Amino acid sequence: MNFESFGLHPSVAAGVAAEGYVTPTPIQLKAIPMVLQGVDLMGLAQTGTGKTAAFALPILHRLMQGPRGRLRALIVAPTRELAEQIHQAIESLGRATRLRSVTLYGGVGLNPQVQKLKRGVEIAVACPGRLLDLIGQGHVDLSRLEVLVLDEADQMFDMGFLPDIRRIVKCTPRERQTMLFSATMPAEIRHLAQEVLRAPQTVQAGDSVPAETVSHAVYPVAPHLKTALLLELLQHTDTDSVLVFTRTKHRAKRLGEQLAKSGYRAASLQGNLSQGRRQAAMGGFRDGTYQILVATDIAARGIDVSQISHVINYDVPSTPEAYIHRIGRTGRAARRGDAFTFATEEDRDMLRAIDRVLGTPVERRTLAGFNYRAQAPARDQEFARPPRQAGSYAGAERARGGGGPGTYARRGADKARATGRKRFQSASRPAARPQTGPA
Ligand code: AMP
């Protein structure tokens, strides 16, 4: 099966060819024909499955017919980064269509967005808050919207956007095509789907579990040794691009600085950065200027850097779903990836929950030669504090029937051997320094 079989408008097909897509991904195969028919869609898919093109291509195809200069398609996304990414995908895929897309999100000036809207656009990719502001000020009119996409709905729920989403939906016509994408399906998202979708078709990619192309390992470690372990691991691991997750903005910033000081091309991405610095960090990570990006969950949401070879959970995520989202950043587009999780004593329950989500216990590893008995240097006291446990998690785990015994299988190691990736070889330290990220 190839893209020709969808019968996309030649200008849209030209975009597919320009992007170098040859074979549709599973979600594209299932979703594109349905969306082209105009039905509502519920997509159970995480980033990395090709879901953006699954909705963008049929939207571009549809908009080739009908009026220009009027807002006809709206994609709502939780974060600015994701909105930018979707917008860029639409721009690349739709280059030959002359359709116009605008991003609408906060943290940047209102005026450029208003000017673009005034010049006329057919597509908007928006975050909820700024979109509502623009609607309130009369700059955005959704009354003739034809297609509405709610992307990463579970994340929008986590971020408290559901009331905003409902307000936005109320501004759109009842006669519209609606698509809702979510990596997980908590009850709140099911309710939202019932409200906004009409007789939806459901497509699922990845079964809400991480891609098979990712192998997982847990490194038990004392809290104060995490940074030392990370440095040691990086030194002995063959990595391309590494995305490191921390629990807080402060930890992301600090760890980014520590890595840069140690000679790595590292930057951090967290909510306290200005939009310009966020884009510099993202852009630098994408083009390889930075080999390591340290980020919080929210800042990293939807990051699409196809060559991410390693996701390292410096702090365990607060829910098993967050684990899936984090490691969804690697092993994309059928490349292999590794997900390493640093775990302290206090993280035991969360590890069990992750085992359950993965359907198999994660391999537990120790790094040969690493001094696990070292004392915490005084200046590292902040990092020595054990991570806070998310209160919500214990309940979630109980709801799942509790964790099993924490045995750790060898699956990850077997997989790793199968990939042929060179691990823990002699030091392959990244070259250049010094490079202070925009953090
Ligand atoms: P997404 O899940 O939409 O974030 O897409 C993940 C990555 O896969 C992006 O870098 C896309 O450019 C890429 N991609 C999407 N569809 C295809 C395809 N059919 N063939 C190859 N790469 C694709």
Side-chain angles (χ1 to χ4, degrees), residues 328-346:
R329 311 282 87 83
T330 187
R332 298 164 79 102
R335 288 168 195 259
R336 309 271 340 163
D338 288 286
F340 298 155
T341 300
F342 291 0
T344 65
E345 276 289 304
E346 289 76 13

PDB file of all heavy atoms in Angstrom, residues 328-346:
ATOM      1  N   GLY A 328       8.017   7.616  24.253  1.00  0.00           N
ATOM      2  CA  GLY A 328       7.506   7.746  22.885  1.00  0.00           C
ATOM      3  C   GLY A 328       8.368   8.675  22.041  1.00  0.00           C
ATOM      4  O   GLY A 328       8.208   8.769  20.837  1.00  0.00           O
ATOM      5  N   ARG A 329       9.278   9.382  22.692  1.00  0.00           N
ATOM      6  CA  ARG A 329      10.159  10.303  21.958  1.00  0.00           C
ATOM      7  C   ARG A 329      11.295   9.556  21.264  1.00  0.00           C
ATOM      8  O   ARG A 329      11.980  10.092  20.435  1.00  0.00           O
ATOM      9  CB  ARG A 329      10.785  11.356  22.888  1.00  0.00           C
ATOM     10  CG  ARG A 329       9.828  12.071  23.811  1.00  0.00           C
ATOM     11  CD  ARG A 329       9.071  13.122  23.037  1.00  0.00           C
ATOM     12  NE  ARG A 329       7.900  12.539  22.431  1.00  0.00           N
ATOM     13  CZ  ARG A 329       6.737  12.355  23.055  1.00  0.00           C
ATOM     14  NH1 ARG A 329       6.579  12.706  24.281  1.00  0.00           N
ATOM     15  NH2 ARG A 329       5.724  11.801  22.430  1.00  0.00           N
ATOM     16  N   THR A 330      11.540   8.301  21.665  1.00  0.00           N
ATOM     17  CA  THR A 330      12.616   7.562  21.003  1.00  0.00           C
ATOM     18  C   THR A 330      12.023   6.347  20.291  1.00  0.00           C
ATOM     19  O   THR A 330      10.860   6.048  20.432  1.00  0.00           O
ATOM     20  CB  THR A 330      13.718   7.125  22.000  1.00  0.00           C
ATOM     21  OG1 THR A 330      14.791   6.553  21.261  1.00  0.00           O
ATOM     22  CG2 THR A 330      13.228   6.122  23.018  1.00  0.00           C
ATOM     23  N   GLY A 331      12.842   5.706  19.490  1.00  0.00           N
ATOM     24  CA  GLY A 331      12.370   4.547  18.747  1.00  0.00           C
ATOM     25  C   GLY A 331      11.331   4.916  17.713  1.00  0.00           C
ATOM     26  O   GLY A 331      10.477   4.133  17.346  1.00  0.00           O
ATOM     27  N   ARG A 332      11.391   6.170  17.224  1.00  0.00           N
ATOM     28  CA  ARG A 332      10.371   6.638  16.298  1.00  0.00           C
ATOM     29  C   ARG A 332      10.684   6.194  14.879  1.00  0.00           C
ATOM     30  O   ARG A 332      11.800   5.928  14.542  1.00  0.00           O
ATOM     31  CB  ARG A 332      10.311   8.159  16.339  1.00  0.00           C
ATOM     32  CG  ARG A 332       9.933   8.659  17.698  1.00  0.00           C
ATOM     33  CD  ARG A 332      10.266  10.090  17.774  1.00  0.00           C
ATOM     34  NE  ARG A 332       9.238  10.837  17.087  1.00  0.00           N
ATOM     35  CZ  ARG A 332       8.279  11.475  17.713  1.00  0.00           C
ATOM     36  NH1 ARG A 332       8.220  11.470  19.003  1.00  0.00           N
ATOM     37  NH2 ARG A 332       7.372  12.133  17.041  1.00  0.00           N
ATOM     38  N   ALA A 333       9.614   6.187  14.095  1.00  0.00           N
ATOM     39  CA  ALA A 333       9.736   5.875  12.677  1.00  0.00           C
ATOM     40  C   ALA A 333      10.653   4.662  12.478  1.00  0.00           C
ATOM     41  O   ALA A 333      11.541   4.646  11.637  1.00  0.00           O
ATOM     42  CB  ALA A 333      10.240   7.090  11.895  1.00  0.00           C
ATOM     43  N   ALA A 334      10.403   3.662  13.315  1.00  0.00           N
ATOM     44  CA  ALA A 334      11.054   2.349  13.195  1.00  0.00           C
ATOM     45  C   ALA A 334      12.560   2.351  13.477  1.00  0.00           C
ATOM     46  O   ALA A 334      13.253   1.381  13.222  1.00  0.00           O
ATOM     47  CB  ALA A 334      10.782   1.709  11.841  1.00  0.00           C
ATOM     48  N   ARG A 335      13.086   3.466  14.024  1.00  0.00           N
ATOM     49  CA  ARG A 335      14.473   3.404  14.488  1.00  0.00           C
ATOM     50  C   ARG A 335      14.499   2.743  15.857  1.00  0.00           C
ATOM     51  O   ARG A 335      13.510   2.734  16.553  1.00  0.00           O
ATOM     52  CB  ARG A 335      15.039   4.810  14.650  1.00  0.00           C
ATOM     53  CG  ARG A 335      15.316   5.513  13.352  1.00  0.00           C
ATOM     54  CD  ARG A 335      15.587   6.969  13.682  1.00  0.00           C
ATOM     55  NE  ARG A 335      15.518   7.775  12.484  1.00  0.00           N
ATOM     56  CZ  ARG A 335      16.578   8.207  11.825  1.00  0.00           C
ATOM     57  NH1 ARG A 335      17.779   7.921  12.257  1.00  0.00           N
ATOM     58  NH2 ARG A 335      16.456   8.933  10.746  1.00  0.00           N
ATOM     59  N   ARG A 336      15.648   2.276  16.264  1.00  0.00           N
ATOM     60  CA  ARG A 336      15.755   1.688  17.590  1.00  0.00           C
ATOM     61  C   ARG A 336      16.038   2.776  18.614  1.00  0.00           C
ATOM     62  O   ARG A 336      16.639   3.795  18.297  1.00  0.00           O
ATOM     63  CB  ARG A 336      16.913   0.665  17.653  1.00  0.00           C
ATOM     64  CG  ARG A 336      16.911  -0.353  16.582  1.00  0.00           C
ATOM     65  CD  ARG A 336      16.140  -1.602  16.842  1.00  0.00           C
ATOM     66  NE  ARG A 336      15.845  -1.929  18.215  1.00  0.00           N
ATOM     67  CZ  ARG A 336      14.900  -2.815  18.512  1.00  0.00           C
ATOM     68  NH1 ARG A 336      14.186  -3.380  17.574  1.00  0.00           N
ATOM     69  NH2 ARG A 336      14.661  -3.127  19.754  1.00  0.00           N
ATOM     70  N   GLY A 337      15.572   2.557  19.819  1.00  0.00           N
ATOM     71  CA  GLY A 337      15.842   3.523  20.869  1.00  0.00           C
ATOM     72  C   GLY A 337      15.986   2.832  22.206  1.00  0.00           C
ATOM     73  O   GLY A 337      15.580   1.686  22.377  1.00  0.00           O
ATOM     74  N   ASP A 338      16.616   3.515  23.146  1.00  0.00           N
ATOM     75  CA  ASP A 338      16.767   2.984  24.493  1.00  0.00           C
ATOM     76  C   ASP A 338      16.113   3.924  25.483  1.00  0.00           C
ATOM     77  O   ASP A 338      16.209   5.143  25.344  1.00  0.00           O
ATOM     78  CB  ASP A 338      18.255   2.879  24.858  1.00  0.00           C
ATOM     79  CG  ASP A 338      18.933   1.756  24.109  1.00  0.00           C
ATOM     80  OD1 ASP A 338      18.696   0.599  24.466  1.00  0.00           O
ATOM     81  OD2 ASP A 338      19.665   2.045  23.150  1.00  0.00           O
ATOM     82  N   ALA A 339      15.456   3.357  26.451  1.00  0.00           N
ATOM     83  CA  ALA A 339      14.855   4.156  27.519  1.00  0.00           C
ATOM     84  C   ALA A 339      15.474   3.714  28.836  1.00  0.00           C
ATOM     85  O   ALA A 339      15.314   2.570  29.251  1.00  0.00           O
ATOM     86  CB  ALA A 339      13.354   3.944  27.539  1.00  0.00           C
ATOM     87  N   PHE A 340      16.234   4.607  29.475  1.00  0.00           N
ATOM     88  CA  PHE A 340      16.852   4.306  30.764  1.00  0.00           C
ATOM     89  C   PHE A 340      16.114   5.079  31.848  1.00  0.00           C
ATOM     90  O   PHE A 340      15.828   6.265  31.671  1.00  0.00           O
ATOM     91  CB  PHE A 340      18.323   4.748  30.790  1.00  0.00           C
ATOM     92  CG  PHE A 340      19.206   4.052  29.786  1.00  0.00           C
ATOM     93  CD1 PHE A 340      20.371   4.665  29.338  1.00  0.00           C
ATOM     94  CD2 PHE A 340      18.894   2.789  29.310  1.00  0.00           C
ATOM     95  CE1 PHE A 340      21.207   4.031  28.425  1.00  0.00           C
ATOM     96  CE2 PHE A 340      19.725   2.140  28.396  1.00  0.00           C
ATOM     97  CZ  PHE A 340      20.885   2.767  27.953  1.00  0.00           C
ATOM     98  N   THR A 341      15.847   4.417  32.944  1.00  0.00           N
ATOM     99  CA  THR A 341      15.163   5.090  34.042  1.00  0.00           C
ATOM    100  C   THR A 341      15.989   4.973  35.312  1.00  0.00           C
ATOM    101  O   THR A 341      16.337   3.859  35.724  1.00  0.00           O
ATOM    102  CB  THR A 341      13.769   4.458  34.267  1.00  0.00           C
ATOM    103  OG1 THR A 341      13.015   4.604  33.067  1.00  0.00           O
ATOM    104  CG2 THR A 341      13.035   5.132  35.415  1.00  0.00           C
ATOM    105  N   PHE A 342      16.330   6.103  35.902  1.00  0.00           N
ATOM    106  CA  PHE A 342      17.024   6.094  37.188  1.00  0.00           C
ATOM    107  C   PHE A 342      15.964   5.963  38.270  1.00  0.00           C
ATOM    108  O   PHE A 342      15.012   6.746  38.296  1.00  0.00           O
ATOM    109  CB  PHE A 342      17.806   7.390  37.395  1.00  0.00           C
ATOM    110  CG  PHE A 342      18.990   7.551  36.484  1.00  0.00           C
ATOM    111  CD1 PHE A 342      19.317   6.579  35.546  1.00  0.00           C
ATOM    112  CD2 PHE A 342      19.802   8.679  36.573  1.00  0.00           C
ATOM    113  CE1 PHE A 342      20.410   6.720  34.696  1.00  0.00           C
ATOM    114  CE2 PHE A 342      20.903   8.830  35.734  1.00  0.00           C
ATOM    115  CZ  PHE A 342      21.205   7.855  34.795  1.00  0.00           C
ATOM    116  N   ALA A 343      16.160   5.010  39.152  1.00  0.00           N
ATOM    117  CA  ALA A 343      15.137   4.776  40.159  1.00  0.00           C
ATOM    118  C   ALA A 343      15.753   4.684  41.541  1.00  0.00           C
ATOM    119  O   ALA A 343      16.767   4.008  41.737  1.00  0.00           O
ATOM    120  CB  ALA A 343      14.384   3.492  39.839  1.00  0.00           C
ATOM    121  N   THR A 344      15.148   5.378  42.468  1.00  0.00           N
ATOM    122  CA  THR A 344      15.597   5.318  43.853  1.00  0.00           C
ATOM    123  C   THR A 344      14.678   4.349  44.613  1.00  0.00           C
ATOM    124  O   THR A 344      13.673   3.891  44.068  1.00  0.00           O
ATOM    125  CB  THR A 344      15.512   6.704  44.516  1.00  0.00           C
ATOM    126  OG1 THR A 344      14.136   7.075  44.577  1.00  0.00           O
ATOM    127  CG2 THR A 344      16.265   7.756  43.714  1.00  0.00           C
ATOM    128  N   GLU A 345      15.030   4.097  45.842  1.00  0.00           N
ATOM    129  CA  GLU A 345      14.198   3.236  46.698  1.00  0.00           C
ATOM    130  C   GLU A 345      12.732   3.641  46.665  1.00  0.00           C
ATOM    131  O   GLU A 345      11.841   2.812  46.585  1.00  0.00           O
ATOM    132  CB  GLU A 345      14.693   3.359  48.152  1.00  0.00           C
ATOM    133  CG  GLU A 345      15.851   2.461  48.484  1.00  0.00           C
ATOM    134  CD  GLU A 345      15.409   1.013  48.553  1.00  0.00           C
ATOM    135  OE1 GLU A 345      14.492   0.729  49.333  1.00  0.00           O
ATOM    136  OE2 GLU A 345      15.972   0.179  47.812  1.00  0.00           O
ATOM    137  N   GLU A 346      12.514   4.962  46.725  1.00  0.00           N
ATOM    138  CA  GLU A 346      11.145   5.478  46.825  1.00  0.00           C
ATOM    139  C   GLU A 346      10.342   5.241  45.552  1.00  0.00           C
ATOM    140  O   GLU A 346       9.130   5.401  45.542  1.00  0.00           O
ATOM    141  CB  GLU A 346      11.153   6.992  47.117  1.00  0.00           C
ATOM    142  CG  GLU A 346      11.615   7.373  48.512  1.00  0.00           C
ATOM    143  CD  GLU A 346      13.126   7.267  48.673  1.00  0.00           C
ATOM    144  OE1 GLU A 346      13.825   7.130  47.641  1.00  0.00           O
ATOM    145  OE2 GLU A 346      13.604   7.284  49.814  1.00  0.00           O
TER     146      GLU A 346
END
